[in-house]
Amino acid sequence: MLKIALIIGSTRPNRFADHPAKWMADGAKARSDLSIDVLDLRDYPLPFFNEPAPPLYSPGGKYHEPAADAWRQKIGTYDGFIATVSEYNHGPTAVLKNAFDSAFFEWNRKPIAFVGHGGAGGARAIEHLRGVAIELQMAPIKHEVNIAREPYLGVLQGKSLEDFTYLNEARTALFDHLVWWGNALKAARQAA
Ligand SMILES: Cc1cc2nc3c(=O)[nH]c(=O)nc-3n(C[C@H](O)[C@H](O)[C@H](O)COP(=O)(O)O)c2cc1C
């Protein structure tokens, strides 16, 4: 079974991100091919990147800030990732970008999928993160979930994300493809 971390990419009070995080975690419970741990960035108060050397050149990939070093070691225990993506000014949140910067080797050669929300389903912020993921030597998968205006407002008015069939289908496709990439890359890492 693949060990996947679901990173909640917003830390502000009253965040919407809790809805997609719970919906994704609930969807994963029915599956036998992956398990999900929720990593809430509120529980990992990382300093803004503050290392004397780029992680690529740091001996052993170590970080001198203890919180960042604990984070990168935690990231190293997973086979793949899902991130909820809150779109702030057409980009990802600063806390999520900083969380990506706060590890390096631990992300390498692992897949990541995105669940975006916002007026355009977080699509513009996700596009930023695809480039970030590639620089971290990850495999950002094509399949994503975009929670755009209608379901976003629907949830704020009392609906559940489970009420939107096309979102449930997108969630299933995301899981299916994340598992494919996760198994392929896990086998390749073990063979290397
Ligand atoms: C600082 C800020 C900037 C935002 N910029 C955008 C934006 O560029 N495009 C968009 O679709 N929504 C934008 N929004 C709306 C957010 O996508 C929406 O509030 C979402 O719920 C934020 O995620 P969160 O609640 O999990 O923090 C912005 C919200 C904030 C707080």
Side-chain angles (χ1 to χ4, degrees), residues 8-18 20 84-91 93 117-124 152 156:
I8 305 182
S10 167
T11 53
R12 74 177 181 95
N14 205 30
R15 65 187 176 192
F16 184 84
D18 285 320
T84 72
V85 180
S86 307
E87 185 169 302
Y88 286 4
N89 299 316
H90 286 206
T93 61
H117 53 87
R124 294 161 295 213
Y152 184 94
L156 295 184

Coordinates of all heavy atoms in Angstrom, one line a residue, residues 8-18 20 84-91 93 117-124 152 156, ligand 1:
I8 N -2.2 20.1 3.7 CA -3.2 21.2 3.6 C -2.5 22.5 3.4 O -1.7 22.9 4.3 CB -4.1 21.3 4.9 CG1 -4.7 19.9 5.2 CG2 -5.1 22.4 4.8 CD1 -5.6 19.9 6.4
G9 N -2.7 23.2 2.3 CA -1.8 24.2 1.8 C -2.2 25.6 2.3 O -1.7 26.6 1.7
S10 N -3.1 25.8 3.2 CA -3.5 27.1 3.7 C -3.5 27.0 5.2 O -3.9 25.9 5.8 CB -4.9 27.5 3.2 OG -5.4 28.6 3.9
T11 N -3.1 28.1 5.9 CA -3.1 28.0 7.4 C -4.0 29.1 8.0 O -4.1 29.3 9.2 CB -1.7 28.2 7.9 OG1 -1.1 29.4 7.4 CG2 -0.8 27.0 7.6
R12 N -4.7 29.9 7.1 CA -5.4 31.1 7.7 C -6.7 30.6 8.5 O -7.2 29.5 8.2 CB -5.8 32.0 6.6 CG -7.0 31.5 5.7 CD -7.4 32.5 4.7 NE -8.5 32.0 3.9 CZ -9.8 32.2 4.2 NH1 -10.1 33.0 5.2 NH2 -10.8 31.7 3.5
P13 N -7.1 31.4 9.5 CA -8.4 31.0 10.2 C -9.5 31.0 9.1 O -9.5 31.7 8.2 CB -8.6 32.2 11.1 CG -7.4 33.0 11.1 CD -6.6 32.7 9.9
N14 N -10.4 30.1 9.3 CA -11.6 30.0 8.5 C -11.3 29.6 7.1 O -12.1 29.8 6.1 CB -12.3 31.4 8.4 CG -13.7 31.4 8.1 OD1 -14.4 30.4 8.4 ND2 -14.2 32.4 7.4
R15 N -10.2 28.9 6.9 CA -9.8 28.4 5.5 C -10.9 27.5 4.9 O -11.5 26.7 5.6 CB -8.5 27.8 5.6 CG -8.5 26.5 6.4 CD -7.1 25.9 6.7 NE -7.2 24.7 7.5 CZ -6.2 24.1 8.1 NH1 -5.0 24.5 7.9 NH2 -6.4 23.0 8.8
F16 N -11.0 27.6 3.6 CA -11.8 26.6 2.9 C -11.1 25.3 2.8 O -11.8 24.2 2.6 CB -12.1 27.2 1.5 CG -13.0 26.4 0.7 CD1 -14.4 26.5 0.8 CD2 -12.5 25.4 -0.3 CE1 -15.3 25.7 0.0 CE2 -13.4 24.6 -1.0 CZ -14.8 24.8 -0.9
A17 N -9.8 25.3 2.8 CA -9.0 24.1 2.5 C -9.4 22.9 3.3 O -9.2 21.7 2.9 CB -7.5 24.4 2.7
D18 N -10.0 23.1 4.5 CA -10.5 21.9 5.3 C -11.5 21.1 4.6 O -11.5 19.9 4.8 CB -11.1 22.4 6.6 CG -10.0 22.9 7.6 OD1 -8.9 22.3 7.7 OD2 -10.2 23.9 8.3
P20 N -11.9 20.4 1.1 CA -11.2 19.4 0.2 C -10.4 18.4 0.9 O -10.3 17.3 0.5 CB -10.4 20.3 -0.8 CG -10.4 21.6 -0.2 CD -11.5 21.8 0.7
T84 N -3.6 20.3 -1.1 CA -4.7 21.3 -1.4 C -4.1 22.6 -1.8 O -3.2 23.1 -1.1 CB -5.7 21.4 -0.2 OG1 -5.1 22.2 0.8 CG2 -6.2 20.1 0.3
V85 N -4.7 23.2 -2.8 CA -4.0 24.4 -3.3 C -5.1 25.6 -3.3 O -6.0 25.6 -4.0 CB -3.6 24.2 -4.8 CG1 -2.9 25.5 -5.3 CG2 -2.6 23.1 -4.8
S86 N -4.8 26.5 -2.4 CA -5.6 27.7 -2.3 C -5.0 28.8 -3.2 O -3.8 29.0 -3.1 CB -5.6 28.2 -0.8 OG -6.0 27.2 0.1
E87 N -5.7 29.4 -4.0 CA -5.1 30.3 -5.0 C -5.1 31.7 -4.4 O -6.2 32.3 -4.1 CB -5.9 30.3 -6.3 CG -5.2 31.2 -7.4 CD -5.8 31.0 -8.7 OE1 -5.8 29.9 -9.2 OE2 -6.3 32.0 -9.3
Y88 N -3.9 32.3 -4.2 CA -3.8 33.6 -3.7 C -3.1 34.5 -4.8 O -1.9 34.2 -5.1 CB -2.9 33.7 -2.4 CG -3.5 33.1 -1.2 CD1 -4.8 32.6 -1.1 CD2 -2.9 33.2 0.0 CE1 -5.4 32.1 0.0 CE2 -3.4 32.8 1.2 CZ -4.7 32.2 1.2 OH -5.2 31.7 2.4
N89 N -3.8 35.4 -5.3 CA -3.2 36.3 -6.4 C -2.5 35.5 -7.5 O -1.4 35.7 -7.9 CB -2.2 37.3 -5.7 CG -2.9 38.2 -4.7 OD1 -4.0 38.7 -5.0 ND2 -2.4 38.4 -3.6
H90 N -3.3 34.5 -8.0 CA -2.9 33.7 -9.1 C -1.7 32.8 -8.8 O -1.0 32.3 -9.7 CB -2.7 34.5 -10.4 CG -3.9 35.0 -11.0 ND1 -4.1 35.2 -12.4 CD2 -5.2 35.2 -10.5 CE1 -5.3 35.6 -12.6 NE2 -6.0 35.6 -11.5
G91 N -1.3 32.7 -7.6 CA -0.2 31.8 -7.2 C -0.6 30.9 -6.0 O -1.7 31.1 -5.5
T93 N -0.2 29.7 -2.0 CA 0.0 30.4 -0.7 C 1.5 30.4 -0.4 O 2.2 29.4 -0.8 CB -0.7 29.7 0.5 OG1 -0.2 28.3 0.6 CG2 -2.2 29.6 0.3
H117 N -8.7 25.1 -5.3 CA -10.0 25.7 -5.2 C -9.9 27.2 -5.3 O -8.8 27.8 -5.1 CB -10.7 25.3 -3.9 CG -9.9 25.5 -2.7 ND1 -9.8 26.7 -2.0 CD2 -9.0 24.7 -2.0 CE1 -9.0 26.5 -0.9 NE2 -8.5 25.3 -0.9
G118 N -10.9 27.9 -5.7 CA -10.9 29.3 -6.0 C -11.8 29.6 -7.2 O -12.5 28.7 -7.7
G119 N -11.8 30.8 -7.6 CA -12.7 31.2 -8.7 C -12.5 30.4 -9.9 O -13.5 30.0 -10.6
A120 N -11.3 30.0 -10.2 CA -11.0 29.2 -11.4 C -10.5 27.8 -10.9 O -9.6 27.2 -11.6 CB -10.0 29.8 -12.3
G121 N -10.9 27.3 -9.8 CA -10.6 26.0 -9.3 C -9.1 25.9 -8.9 O -8.6 24.8 -8.8
G122 N -8.5 27.0 -8.6 CA -7.1 27.0 -8.2 C -6.1 26.7 -9.4 O -4.9 26.4 -9.2
A123 N -6.6 26.7 -10.6 CA -5.8 26.2 -11.8 C -4.6 27.0 -12.0 O -3.5 26.5 -12.3 CB -6.7 26.3 -13.1
R124 N -4.6 28.3 -11.7 CA -3.4 29.1 -12.0 C -2.3 28.9 -10.9 O -1.1 28.8 -11.2 CB -3.8 30.6 -12.1 CG -4.7 30.9 -13.3 CD -5.5 32.2 -13.2 NE -6.4 32.2 -12.1 CZ -7.6 32.8 -12.1 NH1 -8.0 33.4 -13.2 NH2 -8.4 32.8 -11.1
Y152 N -17.6 25.7 -4.9 CA -17.1 26.5 -3.8 C -18.2 27.2 -3.1 O -18.3 27.1 -1.8 CB -16.1 27.5 -4.4 CG -15.3 28.3 -3.4 CD1 -14.1 27.9 -2.9 CD2 -15.9 29.5 -2.9 CE1 -13.4 28.6 -1.9 CE2 -15.2 30.2 -1.9 CZ -14.0 29.8 -1.5 OH -13.3 30.5 -0.5
L156 N -20.1 26.6 0.8 CA -20.3 27.7 1.7 C -21.7 27.9 2.1 O -22.1 28.4 3.2 CB -19.7 29.0 1.2 CG -18.2 29.1 0.9 CD1 -17.8 30.5 0.5 CD2 -17.4 28.7 2.2
Ligands
LIG1 C1 -4.9 36.9 -0.4 C2 -5.9 36.3 -1.3 C3 -5.8 36.3 -2.6 C4 -6.7 35.6 -3.5 N1 -6.5 35.6 -4.8 C5 -7.3 34.9 -5.6 C6 -7.0 34.7 -6.9 O1 -6.1 35.3 -7.5 N2 -7.8 33.9 -7.7 C7 -8.8 33.2 -7.1 O2 -9.5 32.5 -7.8 N3 -9.2 33.4 -5.8 C8 -8.4 34.2 -5.0 N4 -8.6 34.3 -3.7 C9 -9.8 33.6 -3.2 C10 -9.3 32.3 -2.6 O3 -9.0 31.3 -3.6 C11 -10.4 31.7 -1.7 O4 -10.6 32.7 -0.7 C12 -10.0 30.4 -1.0 O5 -11.0 30.0 -0.1 C13 -8.6 30.6 -0.3 O6 -8.3 29.4 0.3 P1 -8.3 29.1 1.8 O7 -9.6 29.6 2.3 O8 -8.1 27.7 2.0 O9 -7.2 29.9 2.4 C14 -7.8 35.0 -2.9 C15 -7.9 34.9 -1.5 C16 -7.0 35.6 -0.7 C17 -7.1 35.5 0.8

